[in-house]
Amino acid sequence: MPDTQLAAADLDATTNKTYDTIIIGAGIAGMYQLYRLRELGLSVRVFETGSGVGGTWYWNRYPGARFDSESYTYGYSFSEALLEEWNWSEHFAPQTETLRYLNHVADRFDLRRNIQFDSRVSAATFDETARRWEVTLDNGERFLTRFLITAIGPLSADTLPRILGVSSFRGQSFHTYRWPHEAVDFAGKRVAVIGTGATGVQVIQTIAPLVGQLTVFQRTPNWCTPLHNRKITEEEQKKIKAGYPAMFELLRRTPGCYIHNTDPRGTFEVTEEEREAFWEKLYSEPGFAIWMANFRDVLTDPKANTLFSDFIARKIRQRVKDPKVAEMLIPKCHGFGTRRVPQETHYFEAYNLPHVRLVDTRKTSIERITETGIKTSDAEYEFDMIIYATGFDAITGAFDRIEFRGTGGRRLKDHWAEGPKTFLGLMSAGFPNMLTIVGPHNASTRCNIPRCIEQNVDWITGLMRAARDRGITRFDATPEAETEWSRHIEELADGMLYTQVDSWATGINSNVEGKTVRRILQYQGGAPAYRERCDAVAAAGYASMVLT
Ligand code: NA7
């Protein structure tokens, strides 16, 4: 690759743009990775598309955006002082508070001096001879680095619907991920929301009381359950702080690093009365208990899953006054928990408001966005605002948007064309010196994500330390290790009901060319088993990798 070598020499001679490590992304993962690598004494540069830190929490400023994980389980665990000084105000904090927290972390650990904001990485090419990456920003600036770490997020490649006329609408329109920094006024407005995933649910329940008229365009209903959020009292605050060590120890043992753990009983091992009482209790509990602490077979045994789905359907019928609307809101094509469970606060009651209406786009499809609103197969609606809560090209989409080229100029996008191929979800054979925090095949996308981010980062930091101490200038996963890990990922997902359902977790996105085939993108063995596998590789001197 003579061009690259020439370019590298040129950069070396004329600029001061060579680093030990470049990190792409200054969200929760990139910030923590930066902190750890600086401790090792490495020169590090972080490139961040946004104008501030926070990633997900920087971008998603839509009304109602908040945690579904208990706030105190979500914050970083690496600094006792940070844990001690930060007070979460609610059990499930809103986006504004989380962004404030991440800014506090950036200030406290003086992270900004190594972060270059407003800088989108467009390409990264491995130079085989020099054993390093050349990283290009979309303004053409180039940098060299021995190691490249992606911290680009699993849900950061937002997608607008592929509907005719999206750009022709003359009113206000927003994708939830690209929400403006300025306040948006809803008073008296005729508003459309397209999409009823976890994001759409948060938006709808929040703006329903504020708007003049709300029309929700729903293609697939989801099994939403109550969040039961509330303020943290002073007494609770003290208990949370005193309980941090025990809580983090618990989080290390649960499959998804949540404070909820699967109930060891099977659905049919208890009497009907016990079952109903247990499910009533779960329905009244905060957060994901209902998803994560349910009977052990609810997500694997179709009969158990149907029975529990019927329980939730009854709740929806009780809460939505119009029986026809209630039926529209009850999923018919997938069982509870086989897609991400949106957590709601008075979501179903929003549909009892006289100015809120629900349109089923499977019955009356959206034909086009017009200058003044939305035209479906049976009506034309006028709106002042359209909100696209239409989700993301998940997990691999952010990788596809950067031109990664490994050995022999091979594109990562091509290497992953039939689905991701990775070792530990942290690297891909033929892409040496590159590590993917929260990458595909990694436990983190089925996890209380900062917990798995910390695991990913700590493991990578161990590898970076070994590289520094042993003078390693190149590492790569072997193709055999990659094949074995990718097979392991498939095996773990075998028998899981979610693999039979279309969702972002199975790689489906109707708005992206080619994302129509379900794939196994996530590690399903649980975070503790994943951690053990990673630790074993490190303990064996990075077995299954070639280090030179
Ligand atoms: P999701 O969960 O992918 O939801 C996107 C929603 O948008 C979903 O209801 C889609 O319907 C709908 N959608 C997408 N394209 C269209 C078109 N063209 N027409 C009609 N409806 C459409 O994304 P979210 O942002 O809600 O959540 C992502 C994750 O962020 C979430 O799981 C949390 O972990 C945080 P579909 O279901 O595809 O029929």
Side-chain angles (χ1 to χ4, degrees):
M1 298 164 66
D3 285 355
T4 314
Q5 283 167 37
L6 263 180
D10 177 42
L11 274 176
D12 265 350
T14 58
T15 71
N16 192 17
K17 293 178 172 178
T18 303
Y19 298 94
D20 293 325
T21 307
I22 283 179
I23 299 169
I24 313 177
I28 295 175
M31 290 167 67
Y32 180 47
Q33 186 67 78
L34 167 62
Y35 171 81
R36 282 287 180 226
L37 294 186
R38 258 186 6 198
E39 274 185 338
L40 290 185
L42 300 181
S43 66
V44 189
R45 190 80 174 158
V46 182
F47 294 112
E48 165 56 50
T49 309
S51 306
V53 297
T56 288
W57 302 103
Y58 171 85
W59 294 102
N60 283 287
R61 294 162 190 253
Y62 62 83
R66 67 170 62 246
F67 284 152
D68 285 324
S69 303
E70 287 73 7
S71 311
Y72 29 91
T73 71
Y74 192 98
Y76 290 112
S77 72
F78 68 86
S79 161
E80 274 181 36
L82 177 63
L83 287 167
E84 195 47 48
E85 75 202 13
W86 187 262
N87 292 330
W88 293 103
S89 68
E90 297 178 48
H91 285 271
F92 302 89
Q95 173 270 339
T96 43
E97 185 168 332
T98 308
L99 187 58
R100 209 163 53 241
Y101 167 76
L102 292 169
N103 274 292
H104 169 74
V105 173
D107 293 336
R108 189 187 201 291
F109 298 103
D110 188 20
L111 298 180
R112 286 177 222 278
R113 70 184 152 92
N114 300 93
I115 305 174
Q116 184 170 320
F117 294 104
D118 303 307
S119 300
R120 204 186 85 79
V121 171
S122 55
T125 304
F126 188 67
D127 177 342
E128 188 62 59
T129 312
R131 297 183 167 186
R132 60 189 175 188
W133 286 88
E134 182 182 313
V135 173
T136 310
L137 304 187
D138 61 4
N139 67 3
E141 261 190 289
R142 288 176 299 154
F143 301 84
L144 294 173
T145 181
R146 174 74 65 208
F147 302 112
L148 178 64
I149 301 179
T150 67
I152 52 184
L155 297 164
S156 56
D158 53 313
T159 49
L160 282 168
R162 281 202 288 185
I163 303 175
L164 275 178
V166 166
S167 57
S168 64
F169 182 61
R170 281 186 308 191
Q172 289 176 291
S173 64
F174 314 104
H175 188 287
T176 46
Y177 185 73
R178 308 253 163 207
W179 201 264
H181 291 208
E182 304 73 40
V184 174
D185 183 17
F186 294 101
K189 299 248 169 85
R190 297 163 303 169
V191 180
V193 176
I194 302 180
T196 50
T199 302
V201 166
Q202 289 186 331
V203 173
I204 292 160
Q205 67 195 12
T206 307
I207 65 168
L210 311 176
V211 299
Q213 205 182 78
L214 178 62
T215 308
V216 176
F217 291 87
Q218 172 187 268
R219 186 165 64 186
T220 312
N222 282 301
W223 295 104
C224 313
T225 54
L227 178 66
H228 296 302
N229 184 31
R230 58 184 176 79
K231 295 252 181 277
I232 294 173
T233 64
E234 251 177 65
E235 200 50 38
E236 284 173 330
Q237 197 72 260
K238 281 186 206 139
K239 275 196 186 146
I240 288 165
K241 299 243 169 116
Y244 269 135
M247 186 197 74
F248 285 119
E249 191 43 46
L250 169 71
L251 300 183
R252 278 175 67 80
R253 295 198 308 269
T254 56
C257 303
Y258 290 91
I259 49 174
H260 319 290
N261 207 352
T262 320
D263 192 289
R265 297 170 298 170
T267 301
F268 302 103
E269 290 168 11
V270 298
T271 65
E272 198 180 332
E273 292 71 35
E274 281 173 312
R275 196 158 55 222
E276 279 292 309
F278 178 55
W279 284 345
E280 284 294 344
K281 178 174 157 289
L282 287 179
Y283 201 76
S284 69
E285 282 182 4
F288 279 141
I290 200 156
W291 194 16
M292 313 271 168
N294 215 315
F295 293 122
R296 65 163 200 272
D297 50 3
V298 161
L299 301 179
T300 48
D301 174 5
K303 278 199 188 121
N305 188 266
T306 302
L307 203 61
F308 185 66
S309 301
D310 290 346
F311 172 85
I312 300 292
R314 287 201 297 279
K315 292 289 179 195
I316 298 172
R317 289 189 188 105
Q318 282 162 16
R319 291 175 57 187
V320 179
K321 282 187 193 146
D322 182 336
K324 277 199 208 119
V325 176
E327 288 315 305
M328 286 165 77
L329 289 165
I330 295 171
K332 304 290 189 305
C333 302
H334 68 278
F336 174 85
T338 58
R339 303 172 111 214
R340 164 61 143 90
V341 176
Q343 298 270 281
E344 52 86 22
T345 305
H346 310 311
Y347 172 66
F348 291 111
E349 286 72 15
Y351 294 96
N352 296 335
L353 297 170
H355 63 280
V356 177
R357 68 186 155 194
L358 182 61
V359 176
D360 178 347
T361 69
R362 288 197 199 267
K363 286 214 176 101
T364 54
S365 60
I366 300 179
E367 287 183 346
R368 63 173 299 136
I369 309 290
T370 66
E371 286 187 6
T372 52
I374 294 178
K375 184 175 176 335
T376 67
S377 52
D378 80 336
E380 193 150 356
Y381 301 86
E382 294 213 334
F383 296 114
D384 303 305
M385 186 190 298
I386 300 177
I387 298 175
Y388 297 106
T390 44
F392 301 89
D393 184 359
I395 304 181
T396 53
F399 288 93
D400 290 347
R401 290 183 185 190
I402 299 173
E403 180 88 353
F404 291 105
R405 285 187 183 269
T407 52
R410 183 156 171 75
R411 292 196 321 161
L412 187 67
K413 196 172 176 175
D414 295 333
H415 188 58
W416 286 0
E418 306 299 319
K421 289 187 263 179
T422 79
F423 177 53
L424 301 176
L426 287 167
M427 60 199 93
S428 207
F431 295 83
N433 295 4
M434 174 171 160
L435 293 147
T436 55
I437 307 172
V438 193
H441 288 182
N442 184 306
S444 53
T445 52
R446 283 193 78 79
C447 185
N448 186 9
I449 206 159
R451 303 283 65 77
C452 284
I453 282 174
E454 286 186 340
Q455 181 276 339
N456 278 199
V457 167
D458 290 343
W459 191 89
I460 288 172
T461 306
L463 176 61
M464 292 288 120
R465 187 182 299 109
R468 183 198 63 185
D469 295 348
R470 289 156 56 184
I472 292 161
T473 53
R474 187 187 195 281
F475 64 79
D476 199 357
T478 64
E480 296 74 29
E482 184 181 76
T483 303
E484 192 276 327
W485 183 258
S486 303
R487 199 180 301 130
H488 180 55
I489 294 292
E490 299 277 335
E491 281 163 8
L492 286 172
D494 199 31
M496 308 281 301
L497 297 178
Y498 95 100
T499 61
Q500 296 150 34
V501 173
D502 286 354
S503 77
W504 65 258
T506 48
I508 300 295
N509 187 320
S510 66
N511 304 312
V512 183
E513 196 72 49
K515 297 275 169 122
T516 50
V517 180
R518 284 184 211 140
R519 311 221 186 265
I520 308 301
L521 299 175
Q522 302 168 314
Y523 178 87
Q524 297 291 340
Y530 177 75
R531 192 182 317 115
E532 269 176 36
R533 291 289 294 246
C534 292
D535 290 350
V537 170
Y542 301 100
S544 324
M545 291 167 61
V546 181
L547 290 81
T548 40

